[in-house]
């Protein structure tokens, strides 16, 4: 979608259904409806988890790469505990950084084999974390 002229939900909401259908085909209509909060699919509360994660919000921005890196083991431990308690394994690790100006930058890596331990999760997250990402220059992925 980043290759198209739409980068935010607001840009999708501003587009007409016909315009989105031209850009994305059948998915365009879906995007138009979702951007307006229209979704008549039934809620399936008993569905298995598709993802497990943990987030931490800090009162002050973390000052640089080392500070962000130092938080990864604690966050990974939280995810590992949830995975183990639910009998799940992780195949894709996603790192998401939120900035004070509300920008969100994400990176993901799919592993060759599923993992469940905190060390492997933290190590993978550390590989995704670059100085450019921490500075907010890494774009959204």
């Amino acid at each position: 979608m980043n290759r198209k002229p739409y980068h935010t939900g607001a840009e999708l909401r501003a587009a007409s259904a016909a315009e989105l259908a031209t850009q994305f085909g059948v998915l365009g209509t879906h995007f138009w409806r979702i951007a307006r909060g229209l979704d008549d699919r039934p809620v399936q509360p008993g569905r298995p988890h598709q993802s497990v994660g943990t987030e931490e919000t800090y009162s002050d921005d973390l000052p640089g790469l080392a500070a962000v890196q130092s938080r990864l083991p604690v966050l990974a431990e939280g995810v590992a505990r949830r995975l183990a308690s639910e009998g799940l394994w992780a195949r894709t690790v996603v790192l998401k950084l939120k900035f004070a100006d509300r920008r969100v930058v994400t990176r993901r890596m799919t592993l060759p084999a599923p993992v469940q331990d905190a060390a492997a999760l933290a190590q993978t997250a550390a590989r995704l974390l670059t100085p450019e990402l921490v500075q907010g220059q890494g774009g959204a992925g």
Side-chain angles (χ1 to χ4, degrees), residues 91-93 108-113 124 128:
R91 187 71 196 270
T92 300
V93 175
R108 68 186 70 239
M109 180 182 294
T110 299
L111 303 171
T124 303
L128 295 169

Side-chain angles (χ1 to χ4, degrees), residues 8-25:
T8 67
E11 290 171 346
L12 283 173
R13 279 190 307 278
S16 71
E19 183 180 348
L20 292 174
T22 299
Q23 289 285 331
F24 301 106

Side-chain angles (χ1 to χ4, degrees), residues 2-65:
N2 278 337
R3 285 182 239 123
K4 306 291 183 186
Y6 311 103
H7 303 282
T8 67
E11 290 171 346
L12 283 173
R13 279 190 307 278
S16 71
E19 183 180 348
L20 292 174
T22 299
Q23 289 285 331
F24 301 106
V26 175
L27 271 179
T29 302
H30 175 72
F31 294 154
W32 184 88
R33 292 180 54 74
I34 295 299
R36 286 157 181 79
L38 305 172
D39 188 354
D40 55 7
R41 293 177 294 180
V43 175
Q44 298 174 337
R47 223 173 70 182
H49 288 286
Q50 294 269 327
S51 65
V52 172
T54 188
E55 293 185 13
E56 188 72 33
T57 301
Y58 303 100
S59 56
D60 296 314
D61 286 348
L62 298 178
L65 182 64

Side-chain angles (χ1 to χ4, degrees), residues 76 118-128:
L121 295 168
Q123 181 181 39
T124 303
R127 289 177 58 197
L128 295 169

Side-chain angles (χ1 to χ4, degrees), residues 65 68-69 72 75-76 79 90-97 99 105-112 115 119-141:
L65 182 64
V68 177
Q69 286 173 327
L72 294 178
L75 295 169
V79 172
R91 187 71 196 270
T92 300
V93 175
V94 178
L95 176 71
K96 177 170 59 171
L97 299 177
F99 295 90
V105 179
T106 62
R107 290 290 180 269
R108 68 186 70 239
M109 180 182 294
T110 299
L111 303 171
V115 297
L121 295 168
Q123 181 181 39
T124 303
R127 289 177 58 197
L128 295 169
L129 186 63
T130 65
E132 297 80 19
L133 213 56
V134 172
Q135 295 165 3
Q137 304 303 310

